[in-house]
Short mmCIF file of all heavy atoms in Angstrom, two decimals:
data_model
loop_
_atom_site.label_atom_id
_atom_site.label_comp_id
_atom_site.label_asym_id
_atom_site.label_seq_id
_atom_site.Cartn_x
_atom_site.Cartn_y
_atom_site.Cartn_z
N SER A 141 -7.73 108.83 174.81
CA SER A 141 -9.03 108.23 175.10
C SER A 141 -10.14 109.26 174.95
O SER A 141 -11.20 108.98 174.36
CB SER A 141 -9.05 107.64 176.51
OG SER A 141 -10.33 107.17 176.85
N LEU A 142 -9.91 110.47 175.47
CA LEU A 142 -10.90 111.54 175.37
C LEU A 142 -11.10 111.98 173.92
O LEU A 142 -12.23 112.26 173.50
CB LEU A 142 -10.46 112.73 176.23
CG LEU A 142 -10.51 112.51 177.74
CD1 LEU A 142 -9.89 113.70 178.47
CD2 LEU A 142 -11.94 112.29 178.22
N ILE A 143 -10.00 112.02 173.14
CA ILE A 143 -10.10 112.40 171.72
C ILE A 143 -10.97 111.41 170.95
O ILE A 143 -11.87 111.79 170.20
CB ILE A 143 -8.69 112.48 171.08
CG1 ILE A 143 -7.91 113.67 171.65
CG2 ILE A 143 -8.79 112.59 169.56
CD1 ILE A 143 -6.46 113.72 171.20
N VAL A 144 -10.71 110.11 171.18
CA VAL A 144 -11.47 109.07 170.48
C VAL A 144 -12.94 109.08 170.91
O VAL A 144 -13.85 108.96 170.08
CB VAL A 144 -10.84 107.68 170.73
CG1 VAL A 144 -11.70 106.59 170.10
CG2 VAL A 144 -9.43 107.62 170.15
N ALA A 145 -13.18 109.25 172.22
CA ALA A 145 -14.56 109.30 172.73
C ALA A 145 -15.30 110.51 172.16
O ALA A 145 -16.48 110.42 171.78
CB ALA A 145 -14.56 109.34 174.25
N PHE A 146 -14.62 111.65 172.10
CA PHE A 146 -15.23 112.87 171.54
C PHE A 146 -15.61 112.67 170.08
O PHE A 146 -16.68 113.09 169.63
CB PHE A 146 -14.25 114.05 171.68
CG PHE A 146 -14.76 115.33 171.08
CD1 PHE A 146 -15.74 116.08 171.73
CD2 PHE A 146 -14.26 115.78 169.86
CE1 PHE A 146 -16.21 117.26 171.18
CE2 PHE A 146 -14.74 116.96 169.31
CZ PHE A 146 -15.71 117.70 169.97
N THR A 147 -14.72 111.98 169.32
CA THR A 147 -15.02 111.68 167.92
C THR A 147 -16.28 110.82 167.81
O THR A 147 -17.13 111.06 166.95
CB THR A 147 -13.84 110.94 167.27
OG1 THR A 147 -12.66 111.74 167.39
CG2 THR A 147 -14.11 110.65 165.80
N GLY A 148 -16.40 109.81 168.69
CA GLY A 148 -17.58 108.96 168.69
C GLY A 148 -18.85 109.75 168.98
O GLY A 148 -19.89 109.54 168.33
N ILE A 149 -18.78 110.67 169.92
CA ILE A 149 -19.94 111.51 170.28
C ILE A 149 -20.34 112.40 169.11
O ILE A 149 -21.53 112.53 168.79
CB ILE A 149 -19.62 112.36 171.53
CG1 ILE A 149 -19.49 111.46 172.75
CG2 ILE A 149 -20.72 113.40 171.76
CD1 ILE A 149 -18.93 112.16 173.97
N MET A 150 -19.33 113.01 168.44
CA MET A 150 -19.62 113.87 167.30
C MET A 150 -20.24 113.09 166.14
O MET A 150 -21.15 113.57 165.47
CB MET A 150 -18.34 114.57 166.83
CG MET A 150 -17.74 115.55 167.84
SD MET A 150 -18.93 116.82 168.39
CE MET A 150 -19.19 117.71 166.84
N MET A 151 -19.76 111.85 165.92
CA MET A 151 -20.34 111.01 164.87
C MET A 151 -21.76 110.63 165.22
O MET A 151 -22.64 110.55 164.35
CB MET A 151 -19.49 109.76 164.66
CG MET A 151 -18.18 110.01 163.92
SD MET A 151 -17.14 108.52 163.78
CE MET A 151 -18.21 107.46 162.80
N LEU A 152 -22.01 110.41 166.51
CA LEU A 152 -23.37 110.06 166.97
C LEU A 152 -24.32 111.21 166.72
O LEU A 152 -25.45 111.02 166.26
CB LEU A 152 -23.32 109.71 168.46
CG LEU A 152 -24.48 108.90 169.03
CD1 LEU A 152 -24.65 107.58 168.30
CD2 LEU A 152 -24.26 108.67 170.52
N LYS A 153 -23.86 112.43 166.99
CA LYS A 153 -24.70 113.61 166.75
C LYS A 153 -24.95 113.82 165.26
O LYS A 153 -26.05 114.20 164.86
CB LYS A 153 -24.02 114.85 167.34
CG LYS A 153 -24.04 114.92 168.86
CD LYS A 153 -23.42 116.22 169.35
CE LYS A 153 -23.52 116.33 170.86
NZ LYS A 153 -22.89 117.60 171.36
N LYS A 154 -23.92 113.55 164.46
CA LYS A 154 -24.04 113.75 163.01
C LYS A 154 -25.06 112.79 162.41
O LYS A 154 -25.75 113.13 161.44
CB LYS A 154 -22.68 113.57 162.36
CG LYS A 154 -22.64 113.96 160.90
CD LYS A 154 -21.22 113.99 160.37
CE LYS A 154 -20.61 112.61 160.33
NZ LYS A 154 -19.26 112.60 159.73
N GLN A 155 -25.17 111.58 162.99
CA GLN A 155 -26.13 110.60 162.48
C GLN A 155 -27.57 111.07 162.66
O GLN A 155 -28.45 110.70 161.91
CB GLN A 155 -25.94 109.26 163.18
CG GLN A 155 -24.69 108.52 162.74
CD GLN A 155 -24.95 107.04 162.49
OE1 GLN A 155 -25.85 106.44 163.08
NE2 GLN A 155 -24.19 106.45 161.60
N ASP A 156 -27.80 111.89 163.69
CA ASP A 156 -29.14 112.40 163.96
C ASP A 156 -29.44 113.68 163.19
O ASP A 156 -30.54 114.21 163.27
CB ASP A 156 -29.30 112.66 165.46
CG ASP A 156 -29.18 111.38 166.28
OD1 ASP A 156 -29.54 110.32 165.74
OD2 ASP A 156 -28.72 111.45 167.43
N ASN A 157 -28.44 114.19 162.46
CA ASN A 157 -28.60 115.44 161.73
C ASN A 157 -28.68 115.14 160.23
O ASN A 157 -27.72 114.72 159.62
CB ASN A 157 -27.42 116.38 162.02
CG ASN A 157 -27.59 117.74 161.39
OD1 ASN A 157 -28.61 118.04 160.77
ND2 ASN A 157 -26.58 118.59 161.55
N ASP A 158 -29.85 115.37 159.64
CA ASP A 158 -30.07 115.04 158.23
C ASP A 158 -29.82 116.24 157.30
O ASP A 158 -30.07 116.16 156.10
CB ASP A 158 -31.51 114.53 158.01
CG ASP A 158 -31.75 113.21 158.71
OD1 ASP A 158 -30.78 112.44 158.83
OD2 ASP A 158 -32.88 112.96 159.16
N GLU A 159 -29.37 117.37 157.83
CA GLU A 159 -29.14 118.55 157.01
C GLU A 159 -27.99 118.32 156.03
O GLU A 159 -26.98 117.70 156.36
CB GLU A 159 -28.81 119.76 157.90
CG GLU A 159 -29.98 120.24 158.74
CD GLU A 159 -29.62 121.48 159.54
OE1 GLU A 159 -28.56 122.07 159.27
OE2 GLU A 159 -30.41 121.85 160.42
N ILE A 160 -28.14 118.84 154.82
CA ILE A 160 -27.11 118.73 153.80
C ILE A 160 -26.05 119.80 154.06
O ILE A 160 -26.35 120.98 154.20
CB ILE A 160 -27.71 118.90 152.39
CG1 ILE A 160 -28.71 117.79 152.11
CG2 ILE A 160 -26.60 118.91 151.33
CD1 ILE A 160 -29.45 117.95 150.80
N THR A 161 -24.80 119.38 154.15
CA THR A 161 -23.71 120.30 154.43
C THR A 161 -23.43 121.19 153.24
O THR A 161 -23.40 120.74 152.09
CB THR A 161 -22.42 119.52 154.78
OG1 THR A 161 -22.70 118.65 155.88
CG2 THR A 161 -21.29 120.46 155.15
N ASP A 162 -23.24 122.49 153.51
CA ASP A 162 -22.88 123.44 152.46
C ASP A 162 -21.35 123.53 152.45
O ASP A 162 -20.74 124.21 153.26
CB ASP A 162 -23.49 124.81 152.75
CG ASP A 162 -23.14 125.83 151.67
OD1 ASP A 162 -22.50 125.44 150.67
OD2 ASP A 162 -23.49 127.01 151.84
N TYR A 163 -20.73 122.83 151.50
CA TYR A 163 -19.27 122.75 151.47
C TYR A 163 -18.61 124.02 150.95
O TYR A 163 -17.39 124.14 151.00
CB TYR A 163 -18.82 121.53 150.66
CG TYR A 163 -19.10 120.24 151.37
CD1 TYR A 163 -20.15 119.41 151.00
CD2 TYR A 163 -18.32 119.84 152.46
CE1 TYR A 163 -20.42 118.22 151.66
CE2 TYR A 163 -18.57 118.65 153.13
CZ TYR A 163 -19.62 117.85 152.73
OH TYR A 163 -19.89 116.68 153.40
N SER A 164 -19.39 124.98 150.48
CA SER A 164 -18.80 126.26 150.07
C SER A 164 -18.31 127.04 151.28
O SER A 164 -17.54 127.99 151.15
CB SER A 164 -19.81 127.10 149.29
OG SER A 164 -20.90 127.48 150.12
N ARG A 165 -18.74 126.64 152.47
CA ARG A 165 -18.28 127.28 153.70
C ARG A 165 -17.06 126.58 154.29
O ARG A 165 -16.50 127.05 155.29
CB ARG A 165 -19.41 127.27 154.75
CG ARG A 165 -20.67 128.01 154.30
CD ARG A 165 -21.76 127.88 155.36
NE ARG A 165 -23.00 128.50 154.93
CZ ARG A 165 -24.13 128.47 155.65
NH1 ARG A 165 -24.14 127.83 156.81
NH2 ARG A 165 -25.22 129.05 155.20
#
Side-chain angles (χ1 to χ4, degrees):
S141 174
L142 291 173
I143 291 173
V144 175
F146 177 75
T147 303
I149 292 169
M150 294 306 295
M151 285 177 62
L152 200 57
K153 287 183 176 180
K154 189 170 67 176
Q155 286 225 333
D156 297 330
N157 185 3
D158 294 329
E159 291 183 12
I160 298 174
T161 303
D162 180 5
Y163 288 104
S164 65
R165 300 177 184 177

